[in-house]
Structures are given as structure tokens and as C-alpha cells.
């Protein structure tokens, strides 16, 4: 790393600089800035989009086709209004060709509500008009996804469409009966097996309302409060800024649906603080990227993927949120431990008291967390997800009124205003655009997999690949999981959380299910879904396409690949835990007692301490390479929730701890003798 890069500006990034950075690495942030009549038009449509979902959330959704096509129509129209065809184009106006796309979007989306009775009564195929409408709809969805989500998901969806059409001409096991153009368009837009399938259904109900909830939390000042709370709790500790980044990103992850956005917003002040304290650029950026990516596995929202998992895994929401608790805890514990040990190795201290917020003032605002508590309570009590989200929004509005600073209906002078309320409605709708495009496009993938049986074929091919190498059942299981991990990481690169999960659960997940059936293993369906979800998420920090790590380098001035490698090392828990909960589902709180959960948490956290020491190369002193390997092995044994491995790991851990203390005491005595002799 050059001195020039090390001497980057350590001042917090302005909002404009943050926006530019997000536009570079986060496709969803690359939007036009329209003023005048166009600005008002966008504003009105965004408000209408949010009000539509508030209405259907409160009084019940329309029938499936109408609810989903109206949702899709809003999303497509707004995407072509707000997202330019490519970067670098003028952002202050809408070109003529986008107006054509907007008109087409309204036309195809209105087709279902207008001709609903005719369409539901139809028997057999579709006519020529419907062929044209359906074909245009597919092309619009692909283009909208390219603009708002990125090219990877569009390429996959396009390849799947070609595969569906050319099925009889595919080689070997990939061959299938194939679909005619009429059948393909029919299944993609005139059934609930394609664009209007389960992913879009979840987007048009659960996800939109929770994204709106997140937008209301931001307007109450919860995002800024998370930062103050993190500073108050962790700022004075060893390596304080790094721990602030971890704590703040974990909290912000509950309301953020993007690893990149979380990295930029939180990292704009944590990364400069880390560098000022003494952390190297690549490490500082890696801490923020790893922590921000971990926000996507933080319950209760989990980057909105939890709501998709309800439908895909057929598991109640509460079970999903509960299952994510221990893995998320271990993930952030691992990053916390390694940043602590790195700070000890470098001799770094915490932030000075005068740079931290007053603890009492911060604690007085704990009420700002009540909306999140309310969400958890209502879900636990069995309220519907839509109703829970609505109550959460209402709680955020009420809580904002506890103080003049946070009141959503008062300006700085104390006068009544609807500014923040309307901003929350528009921001929530903007955030939903990428999700709607991603879920509509992912519906194409899911539809083709369903009609062609490709998922089972891909799953069997991964298992077959593992069988050709494995020499026993345990090796077969490990290799299949490894190949599934690699597949999930590759297809998860460059995709937002929701699209990421849909693709990995459609393409990579069948391998685990095929293995479970072949060997008659009792792998819970939730464990299989969480496995691919975890590895799809860590693609954001895994080189060569580590978008969150690359965004962090825009602030730190570090090297993208080295920052990504450091982030991967810090997030090592995410590469270990999924294997653990496939073998031992207790980590997901499946069939365990309170005593069992307590023991699992204690041994797993102890294991993360040992793994962290092994990777950093420091504990109470610098570790020899052999000690690092031993510490890592002890950590793995402790993390695996089984009696014998826990015992062996604990013995090794205790021995290493005693040796560390003895060496520390000896070094202290030697130092005292040198002082006396001097």
C-alpha cells in the first residue's frame, strides 16, 4: 500500500459523496434527479405506490393477479422514469424511448385488471394479442431488472428462457420436452408460475410494507441513533472505531436491505475513525464491509429474504427469525474478536471521551428502539406479517412524537409539517423498486425450473460430481455441501439480497435436498435454505466480485482485492456456521432446550475466540504458526455442537490459555528485572 493511499482524507463523507459511491457499486442507487413537473410526477407516483400497499395491507390484498400486476406496473413505470439506460447518461430528463417503455409498462400491467374475468375463464393457450402482451411484459421485466438490479440476474433469466424453449435440443441430462413460444409466454405472464409467481407475491405484500417500515424508522432518526448507541457502548474500548462499525452495522442491518448501502452510510464515518486510530486501510475497509454484509443475516428483517423464505421453505416467519439469531451472533462475535485482537496486536486504544456522545443522553433515547421491539412482539404473538408491518409503522410514527427532535410532524422551528412523513412514503417506494424488479425477473427463473425440472437435474449433477470423488458417505456430504457453497457464491455475486436468495434457493438448494433423499439424511428444510442464503450473502465480500468490499475501498483508499480478502477472513464464521447447522440443526434452535441453547452459544463463542486468535496470529502475545493452527482446530471443535468435540476443543483451549498466561507472567517478570537492573 502506498503512502499516498494511506494519507486519504479522514473526514466523514458528505451525503453527495456517499451517493456517488453508492451509484458506483450499488445499481439500485443509480437514479435520475428530476425536477419541475417531472419531479412532481415521480413524487406523486411514489406516494400512490406506498398508499396502495398501505391500503391493501390494512384492508386485504386484491386477488393474486390484480395485486401483483398493479405492484409490477408501479415498479416498471417508476424504474423507467428514474433509472437511466446506462451510467453516464443525462439524469435531469427522461428520453423519448423511456416514455415508450413507461406507456408499455402501464399497458401490460393494466391488462390483467381490465380483462381479469376473461383471462381467468380462458381454457388452453393464449391468443395473438395476449402473446404480444406477454412477450412485451417479459422484455420489460428483463430491461427493468438490468437497470435497477444489474446484469447478472438478467443473464441468468435470459439463459433460462432459452433453455426452456430449446429443451429437446439440450445435451444429455439437461434435455427436456421444451416449451413452444406460446406455452413459454403463457406460463411466464398468464399463470402464477412465472413473473407473477411467488417471489413477486412476497414483494407485493410482505416486503414492501417492511421496506416502508424501515423508511419510517430512518425518518424518526433511528439510523443516527444506532450510530450514537454504538459509539456510547463501544467507542472507548480497545480498537473502539472498529467495534463501533460492527455494532452500528449490525443494528442498521435490521432496517437496511443492501450490503453496499450499509457499507457506505455507516462506513463514511467509521472507516476514517478506524484509520485515524491506526488500522490499515485494507483492514478498516474490510471491517465495515464484513459487518455491513452481516446486517443481511440479522433478524428480524434479514434483508427482506426472510419473507421470501416463508414461501420457499414453507416455514413460519418466527421460526426463520429465531433460527438466524445464533448464526448472526456468532458472525458478529467473530468479527468483534478479530478486530479486538488486531487492535491488541497493534497496540491501539479506544476513542477519547470528548469525541463520544454523552451516555446518559443516548440512553434517554432508547425509546427509539420500541418500533423494532414491537415488530418482534407482534410476530411472536402470531399476528400476520402485513398487520405486524403496519403496527410497526404506526409505532415508529408514535415514538417519533416523544421528542421535538424526532417528531415526524414538526420542522426545526416546531411548526406542523408532513415533510418527513411524505419522505418516508417516497423513500420506502424507491427502495422497493429494485426488489420488485428482482423478484419479477427471478420469477422467470423459478418458472423455468418448475416447468423443466432443471432444479432436480442440477442438484443431482452436483451430487454426482461429489460421488465421483468421494470415498465414503461423510466425504460425499462434505463435497456436495462444498460444491453447493461455491455455486451459491458464484451466482450470488453482484445480486441484491432478495434476488440472491431466490436464485441460490432455485439453482443450488436442490443439491442438498437430493443428497438428503439419496442418503436418507434428516436435514431440515430450513437448514438447507439457510445454507445457500448465507453463502449467497457472503458473495458481497468474496473476491473477485466483492461489491461491499469494493465500496469500502472508495472510503478507505485501500486495495479492492486485499480488502475483500481481509473481509473474507473477518467473516470466517459465515464460511463455517452453515456446515455446522446442516450437521447439527440445534444451531438454528431446532429441537433444543434452553440449557442446550445456552451450552451451544457458550462453546461456539469460545470457539470463535480461538479461531480469531488463529487467523490474526495474536492472543495475549504473538502466536507461532503451529499455535495458530492448533487454535483454529480447537475453535472448529468447540463450534461443532457435539459433546466429544466440545470436550476436546475445551481441553486444547484451556491448555493454550494457560500457556498464554504463563508466558505473559514470565514476560512481565523479565521486564521488571530489567527495570531493577537498570
Amino acid at each position: 500500500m502506498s503512502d499516498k493511499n494511506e494519507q486519504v482524507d479522514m473526514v466523514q463523507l458528505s451525503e453527495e459523496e456517499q451517493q456517488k459511491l453508492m451509484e458506483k457499486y450499488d445499481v439500485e442507487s443509480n437514479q435520475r434527479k428530476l425536477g419541475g413537473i417531472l419531479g412532481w410526477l415521480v413524487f406523486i407516483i411514489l406516494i400512490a405506490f406506498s398508499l396502495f400497499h398501505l391500503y391493501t395491507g390494512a384492508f386485504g390484498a386484491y386477488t393474486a393477479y390484480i395485486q401483483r400486476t398493479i405492484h409490477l406496473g408501479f415498479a416498471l413505470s417508476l424504474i423507467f422514469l428514474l433509472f437511466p439506460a446506462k451510467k453516464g447518461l443525462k439524469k435531469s430528463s427522461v428520453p423519448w424511448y423511456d416514455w415508450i417503455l413507461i406507456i408499455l409498462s402501464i399497458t401490460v400491467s393494466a391488462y390483467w385488471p381490465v380483462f381479469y374475468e376473461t383471462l381467468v375463464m380462458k381454457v388452453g393457450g393464449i391468443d395473438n394479442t395476449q402473446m404480444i402482451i406477454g412477450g412485451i411484459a417479459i422484455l420489460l421485466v428483463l430491461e427493468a431488472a438490468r437497470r435497477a438490479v444489474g446484469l447478472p440476474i438478467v443473464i441468468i433469466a435470459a439463459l433460462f428462457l432459452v433453455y426452456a424453449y430449446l429443451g429437446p435440443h439440450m445435451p444429455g441430462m439437461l434435455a427436456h420436452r421444451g416449451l413452444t413460444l406460446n406455452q413459454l409466454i403463457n406460463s411466464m405472464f398468464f399463470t402464477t408460475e412465472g413473473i407473477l409467481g411467488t417471489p413477486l407475491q412476497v414483494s407485493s405484500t410482505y416486503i414492501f410494507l417492511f421496506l416502508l417500515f424501515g423508511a419510517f424508522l430512518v425518518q424518526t432518526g433511528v439510523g443516527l441513533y444506532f450510530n450514537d448507541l454504538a459509539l456510547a457502548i463501544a467507542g472507548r474500548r480497545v480498537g473502539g472505531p472498529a467495534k463501533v462499525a460492527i455494532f452500528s452495522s449490525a443494528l442498521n442491518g435490521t432496517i437496511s436491505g443492501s450490503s453496499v448501502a450499509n457499507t457506505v452510510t455507516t462506513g463514511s464515518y467509521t472507516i476514517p475513525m478506524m484509520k485515524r486510530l491506526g488500522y490499515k486501510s485494507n483492514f478498516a475497509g474490510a471491517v465495515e464491509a464484513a459487518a455491513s454484509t452481516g446486517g443481511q443475516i440479522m433478524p428480524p428483517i434479514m434483508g427482506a429474504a426472510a419473507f421470501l423464505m416463508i414461501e420457499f421453505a414453507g416455514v413460519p416467519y418466527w421460526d426463520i427469525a429465531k433460527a438466524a439469531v445464533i448464526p448472526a451472533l456468532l458472525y458478529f462475535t467473530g468479527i468483534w474478536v478479530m478486530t479486538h485482537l488486531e487492535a491488541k496486536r497493534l497496540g491501539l486504544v479506544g476513542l477519547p471521551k470528548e469525541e463520544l456522545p454523552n451516555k446518559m443522553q443516548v440512553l434517554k433515547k432508547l425509546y427509539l428502539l420500541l418500533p423494532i421491539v414491537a415488530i418482534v412482539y407482534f410476530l411472536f404473538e402470531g399476528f400476520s406479517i402485513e398487520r405486524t408491518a403496519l403496527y410497526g409503522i404506526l409505532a415508529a410514527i408514535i415514538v417519533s412524537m416523544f421528542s421535538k427532535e424526532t417528531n415526524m410532524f414538526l420542522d426545526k422551528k416546531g411548526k406542523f409539517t408532513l415533510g418527513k412523513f411524505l419522505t418516508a412514503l417516497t423513500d420506502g417506494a424507491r427502495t422497493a423498486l429494485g426488489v420488485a424488479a428482482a423478484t419479477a425477473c427471478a420469477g422467470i427463473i423459478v418458472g423455468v425450473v418448475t416447468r423443466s425440472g432443471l432444479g432436480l437435474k442440477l442438484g443431482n449433477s452436483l451430487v454426482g460430481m461429489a460421488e465421483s470423488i468421494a470415498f465414503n458417505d461423510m466425504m460425499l456430504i462434505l463435497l456436495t455441501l462444498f460444491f453447493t457453497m461455491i455455486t451459491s457464491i458464484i451466482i450470488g455475486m453482484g445480486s441484491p439480497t432478495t434476488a440472491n436468495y431466490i436464485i441460490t434457493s432455485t439453482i443450488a438448494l436442490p443439491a442438498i435436498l437430493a443428497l438428503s433423499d439419496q442418503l436418507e439424511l434428516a436435514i431440515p428444510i430450513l437448514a438447507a435454505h439457510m445454507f445457500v442464503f448465507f453463502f449467497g450473502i457472503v458473495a458481497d465480500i468474496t473476491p473477485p466480485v466483492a461489491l461491499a468490499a469494493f465500496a469500502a475501498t472508495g472510503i478507505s483508499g485501500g486495495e479492492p482485492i486485499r480488502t475483500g480478502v481481509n473481509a473474507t477472513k473477518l467473516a470466517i464464521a459465515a464460511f463455517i456456521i452453515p456446515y455446522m447447522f446442516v450437521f447439527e440443526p440445534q444451531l438454528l434452535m431446532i429441537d433444543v432446550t434452553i440449557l442446550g441453547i445456552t451450552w451451544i452459544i457458550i462453546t461456539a463463542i469460545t470457539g470463535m475466540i480461538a479461531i480469531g486468535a488463529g487467523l490474526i496470529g495474536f492472543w495475549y502475545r504473538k502466536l507461532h504458526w503451529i499455535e495458530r493452527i492448533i487454535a483454529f482446530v480447537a475453535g472448529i471443535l468447540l463450534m461443532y455442537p457435539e459433546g466429544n468435540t466440545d470436550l476436546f476443543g475445551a481441553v486444547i483451549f484451556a491448555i493454550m490459555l494457560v500457556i498464554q498466561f504463563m508466558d505473559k507472567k514470565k514476560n512481565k517478570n523479565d521486564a521488571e528485572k530489567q527495570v531493577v537492573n537498570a
Side-chain angles (χ1 to χ4, degrees):
M1 173 60 60
S2 68
D3 292 338
K4 182 180 178 181
N5 282 340
E6 286 294 338
Q7 297 299 320
V8 297
D9 185 12
M10 295 187 185
V11 179
Q12 180 177 339
L13 267 66
S14 66
E15 288 188 15
E16 184 179 349
E17 290 171 323
Q18 291 179 38
Q19 183 61 32
K20 286 181 179 178
L21 197 56
M22 283 196 288
E23 287 177 8
K24 183 177 180 180
Y25 294 105
D26 184 14
V27 178
E28 295 179 59
S29 299
N30 185 36
Q31 298 185 19
R32 293 184 176 115
K33 280 74 176 176
L34 300 174
I37 295 175
L38 286 179
W40 278 105
L41 177 63
V42 170
F43 175 78
I44 291 169
I45 298 174
L46 288 169
I47 294 291
F49 196 14
S50 289
L51 291 178
F52 167 75
H53 284 88
L54 286 173
Y55 175 81
T56 56
F59 299 104
Y62 292 103
T63 57
Y65 289 112
I66 294 177
Q67 177 77 17
R68 298 173 199 182
T69 48
I70 292 176
H71 176 76
L72 182 64
F74 270 116
L76 291 178
S77 302
L78 284 164
I79 287 170
F80 293 126
L81 265 173
L82 289 171
F83 290 82
K86 64 179 182 179
K87 290 183 180 180
L89 292 180
K90 191 176 180 181
K91 292 187 177 181
S92 58
S93 62
V94 180
W96 62 269
Y97 53 82
D98 277 346
W99 286 112
I100 294 175
L101 295 178
I102 291 165
I103 293 170
L104 289 174
S105 298
I106 296 170
T107 302
V108 300
S109 299
Y111 194 80
W112 260 107
V114 172
F115 297 100
Y116 177 73
E117 291 186 6
T118 303
L119 291 170
V120 294
M121 295 297 291
K122 72 180 176 69
V123 178
I126 53 178
D127 60 31
N128 290 335
T129 301
Q130 291 158 3
M131 278 273 289
I132 295 170
I133 291 291
I136 292 172
I138 293 170
L139 294 175
L140 288 172
V141 166
L142 291 173
E143 172 60 10
R146 185 190 69 82
R147 295 190 187 194
V149 185
L151 204 53
I153 189 173
V154 176
I155 292 173
I156 294 173
L159 289 174
F160 271 61
L161 286 171
V162 172
Y163 172 75
Y165 184 70
L166 299 178
H169 306 288
M170 290 290 115
M173 61 173 287
L174 292 177
H176 63 97
R177 291 179 60 185
L179 300 174
T180 65
L181 193 58
N182 184 294
Q183 291 173 327
L184 184 60
I185 292 175
N186 183 35
S187 64
M188 287 299 113
F189 192 66
F190 293 98
T191 72
T192 53
E193 292 181 349
I195 291 170
L196 306 180
T198 299
L200 192 66
Q201 177 254 320
V202 178
S203 174
S204 66
T205 51
Y206 314 152
I207 293 179
F208 191 99
L209 289 173
F210 267 89
L211 293 175
L212 204 55
F213 167 67
F216 272 89
L217 282 183
V218 170
Q219 290 305 311
T220 62
V222 169
L224 292 174
Y225 179 68
F226 283 159
N227 298 339
D228 288 342
L229 184 62
L231 281 166
I233 292 174
R236 291 294 300 276
R237 300 179 182 277
V238 173
K243 291 173 181 176
V244 169
I246 297 165
F247 197 81
S248 179
S249 296
L251 292 173
N252 274 303
T254 62
I255 59 175
S256 170
S258 167
S259 302
V260 174
N262 200 358
T263 299
V264 174
T265 52
T266 309
S268 68
Y269 73 93
T270 59
I271 291 175
M273 280 197 300
M274 281 187 269
K275 291 192 65 181
R276 190 179 65 202
L277 190 69
Y279 284 108
K280 297 296 183 183
S281 297
N282 294 319
F283 191 86
V287 171
E288 184 56 57
S292 294
T293 299
Q296 305 304 292
I297 62 173
M298 271 292 290
I301 297 178
M302 296 165 62
F307 307 113
L308 288 162
M309 211 175 289
I310 296 169
E311 303 296 334
F312 279 51
V315 178
Y317 176 85
W318 183 251
D319 288 349
I320 295 169
K322 183 177 67 174
V325 170
I326 294 178
L329 174 66
L330 295 179
Y331 180 91
F332 284 104
T333 297
I335 302 175
W336 185 285
V337 166
M338 281 187 265
T339 54
H340 175 81
L341 294 176
E342 178 72 3
K344 295 286 284 185
R345 185 180 73 83
L346 297 174
L348 307 180
V349 294
L351 292 168
K353 187 176 181 180
E354 56 270 17
E355 293 187 20
L356 302 176
N358 183 282
K359 279 190 178 181
M360 290 307 299
Q361 293 300 319
V362 171
L363 292 176
K364 284 180 181 178
K365 293 183 181 179
L366 271 174
Y367 64 83
L368 288 172
L369 301 181
L370 287 175
I372 297 174
V373 175
I375 286 286
V376 175
Y377 170 78
F378 289 128
L379 288 171
F380 181 75
E381 288 296 313
F383 283 70
S384 70
I385 297 174
E386 293 96 328
R387 189 68 57 181
T388 297
L390 288 172
Y391 288 158
I393 292 169
L394 184 61
I397 294 172
I398 294 172
V399 163
S400 78
M401 298 179 184
F402 289 4
S403 167
K404 288 183 179 180
E405 295 176 22
T406 60
N407 196 310
M408 192 169 285
F409 301 106
L410 295 178
D411 62 17
K412 293 180 179 179
K413 296 180 180 179
K415 294 182 179 180
F416 176 79
T417 178
L418 286 175
K420 288 184 178 179
F421 180 81
L422 295 176
T423 299
L425 292 179
T426 57
D427 286 354
R430 282 178 185 271
T431 306
L433 297 180
V435 176
T439 51
C441 191
I444 294 173
I445 299 169
V446 176
V448 172
V449 169
T450 302
R451 292 296 298 267
S452 66
L454 180 61
L456 183 60
K457 293 175 182 177
L458 291 174
N460 287 332
S461 67
L462 288 179
V463 174
M465 193 187 308
E467 278 183 321
S468 66
I469 304 173
F471 48 80
N472 59 32
D473 285 351
M474 177 55 72
M475 181 63 73
L476 173 61
I477 296 170
L478 287 172
L479 284 172
T480 301
L481 292 177
F482 176 77
F483 292 146
T484 305
M485 174 190 77
I486 298 300
T487 304
S488 298
I489 291 174
I490 291 172
I491 61 182
M493 289 178 176
S495 297
T497 303
T498 46
N500 197 321
Y501 167 66
I502 295 169
I503 299 171
T504 53
S505 62
T506 303
I507 298 175
L509 175 70
I512 301 177
L513 302 182
L515 178 71
S516 181
D517 291 340
Q518 182 174 321
L519 298 182
E520 297 183 356
L521 302 173
I523 300 176
I525 188 70
L526 182 55
H529 277 268
M530 291 288 280
F531 185 91
V532 296
F533 172 58
F534 258 66
F535 286 118
I537 292 300
V538 298
D540 278 346
I541 53 171
T542 308
V545 187
L547 292 184
F550 293 174
T553 61
I555 304 171
S556 70
E559 298 173 25
I561 296 300
R562 288 183 63 185
T563 299
V565 170
N566 278 326
T568 302
K569 182 173 72 173
L570 289 168
I572 187 65
F575 292 87
I576 299 172
I577 295 168
Y579 287 89
M580 300 302 184
F581 57 58
V582 167
F583 287 109
E584 294 293 340
Q586 294 99 315
L587 276 172
L588 300 178
M589 295 199 205
I590 297 175
D591 298 328
V592 289
T593 61
I594 293 177
L595 183 62
I597 291 172
T598 305
W599 178 250
I600 286 171
I601 292 174
I602 292 172
T603 55
I605 289 177
T606 306
M608 280 312 308
I609 293 171
I611 289 172
L615 289 174
I616 296 297
F618 189 89
W619 203 334
Y620 287 98
R621 60 164 173 77
K622 185 177 179 181
L623 298 180
H624 189 271
W625 67 269
I626 295 177
E627 292 177 308
R628 295 177 68 170
I629 294 173
I630 294 172
F632 188 87
V633 171
I636 295 292
L637 292 172
L638 281 163
M639 285 192 68
Y640 188 77
E642 197 272 328
N644 291 331
T645 58
D646 287 343
L647 179 61
F648 287 130
V651 169
I652 298 171
F653 184 90
I655 292 172
M656 290 199 70
L657 203 60
V658 169
I659 293 172
Q660 292 275 313
F661 275 121
M662 289 175 64
D663 286 349
K664 184 181 178 183
K665 187 175 181 180
K666 181 178 180 296
N667 291 337
K668 183 179 179 182
N669 291 336
D670 290 344
E672 288 175 351
K673 287 179 182 178
Q674 289 178 3
V675 171
V676 171
N677 292 334

